[in-house]
Amino acid sequence: AAPRGGDLWEETRPRIAEDMKKRGASVAEAEGPMGTELRCEVTVKRPDGTPAQQPSRIVGLNGPRWFLRATLLGQPVADEAAAKEWEGVLRGVVVRRGDEAMAVGDPLPITVPEKARRIT
């Protein structure tokens, strides 16, 4: 849930960046196709225990009294075609916020449409 007429992404983005920095990540703001996003890179351990760099893109989308945050990992970070596919998925998300009062930041329930459930 998000405030009426507010920009939760503008408020949330610095907190996410600070949290990522505390985890040892490099963080930069960049303009992407969906607005300002965070581009991060953090050192992770591979299954064999060796270190690797994990890049990510964190995107925030504001709507009327809702906010959607998505983190892209792997191919969509490095491959423009893969990124466009996932950006299309995000643009296709339908949010039915409802009219009930909710505290800012409370998660909205997620329901996957029946058609999407059959995709394997």
Side-chain angles (χ1 to χ4, degrees):
R4 198 180 303 271
D7 185 346
L8 198 54
W9 182 229
E10 191 68 29
E11 296 173 28
T12 305
R13 197 171 56 247
R15 291 194 302 252
I16 295 169
E18 187 61 33
D19 182 56
M20 293 299 291
K21 288 176 186 174
K22 286 180 182 176
R23 297 174 190 213
S26 64
V27 180
E29 284 193 1
E31 284 305 309
M34 302 173 100
T36 305
E37 59 187 48
L38 294 174
R39 298 199 181 163
C40 308
E41 192 165 294
V42 66
T43 303
V44 296
K45 283 188 182 180
R46 293 182 176 141
D48 67 3
T50 60
Q53 291 303 112
Q54 174 66 68
S56 64
R57 289 175 53 202
I58 304 173
V59 178
L61 303 168
N62 288 295
R65 297 177 50 223
W66 58 265
F67 170 71
L68 174 65
R69 178 177 126 190
T71 301
L72 304 176
L73 300 168
Q75 240 184 330
V77 178
D79 178 1
E80 192 172 317
K84 285 187 187 301
E85 189 173 336
W86 280 103
E87 291 160 7
V89 169
L90 292 174
R91 284 187 179 96
V93 171
V94 174
V95 177
R96 292 191 179 118
R97 159 69 172 78
D99 295 324
E100 66 278 357
M102 296 180 76
V104 172
D106 277 0
L108 299 175
I110 295 175
T111 303
V112 178
E114 187 62 37
K115 185 177 179 182
R117 289 184 191 146
R118 288 185 238 146
I119 297 172
T120 56

